[in-house]
Amino acid sequence: MNQPLTEMEGMVLAQIAREGALTAYEVKEAFRLSPSQFWSGSAGAVYPLMKRMQDRGYVKSKDVSQNKRPRREFSLTAAGKKAMQGWLSDSKRAIDPGYDPLRSRLLFIQLLPENRQRQFLEQVQQQMATIPAPQKAGEIAEKLHGLWLDSRRKWLDRFIRFLGRQ
Amino acid sequence: MNQPLTEMEGMVLAQIAREGALTAYEVKEAFRLSPSQFWSGSAGAVYPLMKRMQDRGYVKSKDVSQNKRPRREFSLTAAGKKAMQGWLSDSKRAIDPGYDPLRSRLLFIQLLPENRQRQFLEQVQQQMATIPAPQKAGEIAEKLHGLWLDSRRKWLDRFIRFLGRQ
DNA sequence: CAGAGCATGTAAGAAGTTACATGATTGT
DNA sequence: ACAATCATGTAACTTCTTACATGCTCTG
C-alpha cells in the first residue's frame, strides 16, 4: 500500500472532492482563510503538494485558461477518491487530540502567577466567541463550528470552576 | 524581541519548569507517552531543541552523572521562565483550533457513503473513551483530560443528532 | 548473562514556513 | 492609471520525522 496522507493532503483532496475541481490558488486561499493560524496557506506548501498528489495518481489536472491568464484545475482520480475516503474514515487518527493550543496551555496553567492566570483565562473566554467559521463550507460546517465552540466554552468554564475549588 | 516559541518548545520549557530539572531523555519520554500521535517523542526532535534553547539562553544544563552513565539535567534560566510564561499566556495562540483531526474529518463527513459515515462515527464514539490522559502530570491534568473527553463526546453526539435530522 | 530501559547523540529526508519573482485581469 | 486580486511557481530555511549508532545499568 501507499503511505498514508498527511492531514494537509487529506484536507486538500477532500476539498477538491467537495468542489469538483479547484486550482492550486483556490486551495491555498481556502487554507489562508481558515480559522487556524497553523495552516499558513502558503504557495510553497500547496504547489509542491499538488505535484506530489499528481505523481501518486490521486489528482489529474486540466488547463482551462480562457485567455493569457493561466488556470489549471485539479480534480480527483478514482484512486484519489479512494485515498481521500481512507484518510477521512481513519478513526485512529480521528480520536487523536492533535495539536490543541488551549489544552497544552491549560495543562500548565499553574506555572503562571494567579493574577496572570485569571487574566489569561478571561482573555480566552472573551476572544473565543470571535473565532470565525470556515468560509464557504456550507451549512454543515457552520453547525459543526457552532457546536464545537459551544462545547469548548463549556469545557473551559468547567475547568475554571474546578480551579476555583482547588 | 526574540522569535516566539513553537508549541513543542513551549511545552518542553513548561515541563522543565514544573519538574525543576529534567534530562533530554525524560523530556522525550514524556512526549512519547503523550496521548497524541502527533508528538512522536523522537530524540531527533528533542536533543536539537535543547541545544537551541540553551543557545537562546532559556535553559542551562548541569552534568549530574554519578558513575559512567551520562546524565545531563536541564533547568530554566530567568529568561527561559519569562519566555515560557509568554508562550503560556498567549491567548491568541490559545484560541486557535490548531490541528484537530476529528474536526477536519467531520467537516467532510458527507464525502463518505452513508453506511461508511455511520461506521466511522460509531468507531470514533467507541474508541474515544480509551484515550489515555497524560502521564505523571498530576491531578489537574487528569481533571482537564476528563472534562475535555466529556465535552468532545457531547460535541460529537450533538453533531450526529444534527446529521440525523438533515 | 541476556534483554529492557536509561542516556546520549547524529544522518538523511519529509513537509512545512517565509519571502521572492513574474505576469494577467478587474474594479475604482 | 493604480491597486487589489488571480495565478503560477521557486529558493532558502526550519523543524520536525524515522532510523541508526553507541554504551551503561538494572532486573529476572
Side-chain angles (χ1 to χ4, degrees):
Chain A
M1 266 309 235
N2 268 324
Q3 57 185 7
L5 298 173
T6 65
E7 288 299 288
M8 192 175 177
E9 285 165 352
M11 290 189 79
V12 168
L13 295 191
Q15 236 174 101
I16 293 172
R18 186 168 56 198
E19 301 297 328
L22 286 175
T23 65
Y25 178 80
E26 287 164 343
V27 169
K28 167 183 95 61
E29 284 301 285
F31 280 107
R32 199 173 59 77
L33 298 173
S34 95
S36 175
Q37 300 172 276
F38 285 78
W39 305 114
S40 82
S42 62
V46 174
Y47 285 87
L49 185 153
M50 291 318 243
K51 192 166 191 298
R52 227 153 56 220
M53 295 298 96
Q54 196 158 22
D55 290 347
R56 287 193 216 164
Y58 292 164
V59 298
K60 54 182 187 291
S61 67
K62 197 178 174 186
D63 189 331
V64 290
S65 311
Q66 288 182 315
N67 35 45
K68 291 214 176 162
R69 179 190 289 178
R71 181 177 174 88
R72 172 180 300 274
E73 281 180 353
F74 292 90
S75 54
L76 290 202
T77 62
K81 185 177 173 185
K82 203 177 152 195
M84 179 273 288
Q85 291 186 334
W87 170 80
L88 194 47
S89 56
D90 180 348
S91 59
K92 216 160 204 167
R93 276 276 193 85
I95 60 158
D96 193 294
Y99 295 168
D100 185 335
L102 181 55
R103 197 188 141 128
S104 303
R105 282 163 179 77
L106 292 180
L107 218 42
F108 295 106
I109 187 80
Q110 290 176 307
L111 298 176
L112 242 33
E114 281 205 37
N115 57 323
R116 285 189 73 185
Q117 284 185 35
R118 265 195 304 279
Q119 199 191 345
F120 170 71
L121 293 169
E122 274 167 34
Q123 268 176 33
V124 169
Q125 283 181 316
Q126 276 169 29
Q127 290 168 19
M128 205 138 83
T130 71
I131 305 172
Q135 303 289 312
K136 292 190 207 169
E139 200 193 337
I140 290 230
E142 245 157 78
K143 184 70 182 178
L144 181 67
H145 180 74
L147 291 173
W148 176 82
L149 253 186
D150 193 56
S151 102
R152 293 220 122 203
R153 202 150 28 211
K154 282 178 182 155
W155 168 52
L156 181 59
D157 286 349
R158 281 191 203 117
F159 183 63
I160 289 174
R161 250 175 282 144
F162 169 75
L163 283 178
R165 281 197 303 273
Q166 276 297 84
Chain B
M1 267 308 233
N2 268 326
Q3 55 185 9
L5 299 172
T6 65
E7 288 298 289
M8 191 174 178
E9 287 165 351
M11 289 189 79
V12 168
L13 295 190
Q15 238 175 101
I16 293 173
R18 187 168 57 199
E19 302 297 329
L22 287 174
T23 65
Y25 179 80
E26 287 165 342
V27 169
K28 167 183 94 59
E29 285 301 285
F31 281 106
R32 199 175 58 78
L33 297 173
S34 96
S36 174
Q37 300 172 276
F38 285 78
W39 306 114
S40 82
S42 62
V46 173
Y47 285 87
L49 185 152
M50 291 318 243
K51 192 168 191 297
R52 231 154 54 220
M53 295 297 97
Q54 195 158 22
D55 290 347
R56 287 192 215 164
Y58 291 164
V59 298
K60 53 182 188 289
S61 67
K62 197 178 173 184
D63 188 331
V64 290
S65 312
Q66 288 181 316
N67 35 42
K68 290 213 175 161
R69 179 190 289 180
R71 183 176 172 88
R72 173 180 300 273
E73 282 180 353
F74 292 89
S75 54
L76 290 202
T77 62
K81 185 176 173 186
K82 203 177 152 194
M84 180 272 287
Q85 291 186 334
W87 170 80
L88 194 47
S89 56
D90 180 348
S91 58
K92 215 160 204 166
R93 275 277 194 84
I95 60 159
D96 194 293
Y99 294 168
D100 185 335
L102 181 55
R103 196 188 142 130
S104 303
R105 282 163 179 79
L106 292 180
L107 217 42
F108 294 107
I109 187 80
Q110 290 177 306
L111 298 176
L112 242 33
E114 282 203 37
N115 58 322
R116 287 190 72 186
Q117 284 184 34
R118 266 195 303 278
Q119 199 191 345
F120 170 71
L121 294 169
E122 274 167 34
Q123 269 176 33
V124 170
Q125 283 180 317
Q126 277 168 28
Q127 290 168 20
M128 206 138 83
T130 71
I131 304 172
Q135 303 289 312
K136 291 190 208 169
E139 200 193 338
I140 290 230
E142 244 157 79
K143 185 68 183 179
L144 182 67
H145 180 74
L147 291 172
W148 176 83
L149 253 186
D150 193 58
S151 102
R152 294 219 122 203
R153 203 149 29 212
K154 283 178 180 154
W155 168 53
L156 181 59
D157 286 349
R158 282 191 201 117
F159 183 63
I160 290 173
R161 249 175 281 143
F162 169 75
L163 283 178
R165 282 197 302 273
Q166 276 296 83

